[in-house]
Amino acid sequence: MLLPPRVSHDQAEEIAAAHYGISVVAERLAAEHDDTFRLVTAGGPTRLLKIAQIPPGTLADAGASPLAASFQTAVLLHLARAAPALPVQRVISTLDGRPELHLDGHVVRMTSYLEGPVLGSRPASAALRRDIGGTLARLDQALRPFAHPGANRTHLWDLQNFHQLRPLLDQLPGQPADRDQRAALVSCLDRFEARVLPRLADPATRRQVIHTDFHGDNLLAAADRVTGVLDFGDSLAGPVAMDVGVAACYQFGAAAGTDPLIPALDVIAGYHAVDPLGPGDPALIGEFMLLRLAARIIVSQWNAAREPANRDYLLRRTPQATAHFAALRAIGRHAVADRIREALE
């Protein structure tokens, strides 16, 4: 079965019928790159179908390969065995028992569909923010013994290779109003290469398979707890501090009228209460918070220039990232690290 660059609703329904034996109505979901469909069955459970697009020869897809997609499937299979209580999607096998399909160079995976409200950017209580951190900690604990050759991948959101974004920043059209922000982003790149990158090579920096994308659009939440964790598409082997920093930065400034760092500290403290962080982690978490905000500004604009039809989706969080990047820089790295240490006491 040949798949075009974008998979149609009809083709998604044909895949479900031919390989999974179910009759469905396919509804396309917004996604950064892959074709993703919600599959509604007549009286049966809703499913999710994800078809990984693997266009060759582009930096943005350096982490996209059949091996990388198989790695994502392996992560979900491992979590089903190692941590069945975690609220993550479960892999649905094909009619002949395969956990995923390889169709003309594309990788197809069907999973259960987790129902419930997406946290998104709506305000979260302090209790929910702590549960975000605690849920991430339980996920990291479950993934700690997991190994797979596909984990040794990278992509544009991999902050271990933040320096790969320098040519992307150089390609963005500059405006006079953007000069101060561009200078700040260049400074961030320079600091990463001089100070952060050497620390990542330190054997004391704890590494494992991590989610790397633990934000509101990938979390279902009800009341004061996380009820679902979605999208392992960016998972890879990396430092635990990066996973925590990414999750924390998305809660930075989330509570209106308060100190903008407090919501992020709730996430970090919630993580630490379940999976204690090491003495070197506070400073590194602070660095990764700033790096993720910088990456959001650069990558979203670069992707929007490449995919103008998807521009609104790709830039939906850029104004927020821009404001938070400036606010976090204003607090200062040393002050952020000190306050993270205090939150862990």
Side-chain angles (χ1 to χ4, degrees):
M1 183 183 300
L2 297 178
L3 300 178
R6 299 299 294 182
V7 178
S8 70
H9 293 78
D10 288 346
Q11 286 173 310
E13 292 168 4
E14 290 171 6
I15 291 171
H19 297 281
Y20 294 91
I22 56 175
S23 177
V24 302
V25 175
E27 171 192 341
R28 184 183 293 277
L29 301 179
E32 189 171 353
H33 295 297
D34 298 339
D35 286 296
T36 305
F37 296 92
R38 180 175 180 260
L39 305 180
V40 180
T41 63
T46 302
R47 302 300 193 196
L48 188 79
L49 188 71
K50 185 176 284 285
I51 302 171
Q53 302 291 337
I54 314 171
T58 64
L59 178 61
D61 301 301
S65 70
L67 181 62
S70 298
F71 160 65
Q72 297 168 43
T73 302
V75 167
L76 293 177
L77 293 173
H78 168 79
L79 290 174
R81 295 188 300 268
L86 279 174
V88 301
Q89 294 158 322
R90 302 304 181 200
V91 174
I92 307 300
S93 297
T94 62
L95 289 171
D96 57 1
R98 287 177 288 170
E100 65 184 19
L101 295 169
H102 291 205
L103 300 176
D104 192 35
H106 294 71
V107 180
V108 180
R109 178 175 58 255
M110 184 181 288
T111 67
S112 57
Y113 185 86
L114 298 183
E115 301 282 357
V118 176
L119 174 60
S121 59
R122 64 182 171 88
S125 66
L128 176 53
R129 294 192 297 266
R130 290 183 68 90
D131 194 56
I132 290 170
T135 302
L136 178 61
R138 288 187 288 274
L139 178 63
D140 281 351
Q141 287 176 328
L143 288 173
R144 195 148 293 151
F146 175 70
H148 188 281
N152 300 314
R153 59 188 296 239
T154 191
H155 47 67
L156 288 182
W157 296 105
D158 179 8
L159 301 179
Q160 302 169 97
N161 292 293
F162 180 72
H163 54 292
Q164 71 181 331
L165 301 188
R166 192 182 294 273
L168 273 62
L169 178 61
D170 292 341
Q171 293 173 33
L172 297 180
Q175 302 292 333
D178 298 335
R179 287 174 184 165
D180 288 346
Q181 182 187 84
R182 184 179 292 263
L185 292 170
V186 169
S187 174
C188 213
L189 284 158
D190 292 344
R191 178 178 173 84
F192 173 79
E193 292 181 339
R195 304 293 296 275
V196 180
L197 194 57
R199 289 194 59 190
L200 299 184
D202 186 341
T205 300
R206 187 170 50 159
R207 295 175 54 84
Q208 63 166 86
V209 171
I210 54 177
H211 187 280
T212 79
D213 205 21
F214 215 75
H215 60 73
D217 287 352
N218 289 333
L219 297 175
L220 307 181
D224 292 334
R225 65 188 183 90
V226 174
T227 59
V229 178
L230 311 175
D231 196 356
F232 287 77
D234 285 349
S235 297
L236 44 66
V240 169
M242 184 168 91
D243 220 14
V244 180
V246 168
C249 90
Y250 279 93
Q251 293 301 313
F252 180 85
T258 66
D259 181 335
L261 191 56
I262 288 176
L265 296 177
D266 288 336
V267 175
I268 299 167
Y271 187 102
H272 181 69
V274 175
D275 188 23
L277 295 161
D281 286 330
L284 204 50
I285 289 170
E287 296 282 2
F288 279 125
M289 287 176 62
L290 190 66
L291 291 173
R292 178 66 175 209
L293 290 166
R296 287 170 63 190
I297 296 168
I298 298 171
V299 175
S300 62
Q301 294 185 73
W302 187 76
N303 276 332
R306 294 172 65 239
E307 302 180 42
N310 207 19
R311 179 179 177 84
D312 289 346
Y313 174 79
L314 294 169
L315 294 179
R316 70 198 186 284
R317 301 280 190 257
T318 304
Q320 179 193 66
T322 299
H324 289 175
F325 177 71
L328 194 58
R329 290 186 74 243
I331 295 172
R333 288 181 175 85
H334 294 301
V336 169
D338 287 344
R339 293 192 57 193
I340 291 174
R341 291 188 190 95
E342 292 171 4
L344 303 185
E345 294 176 353

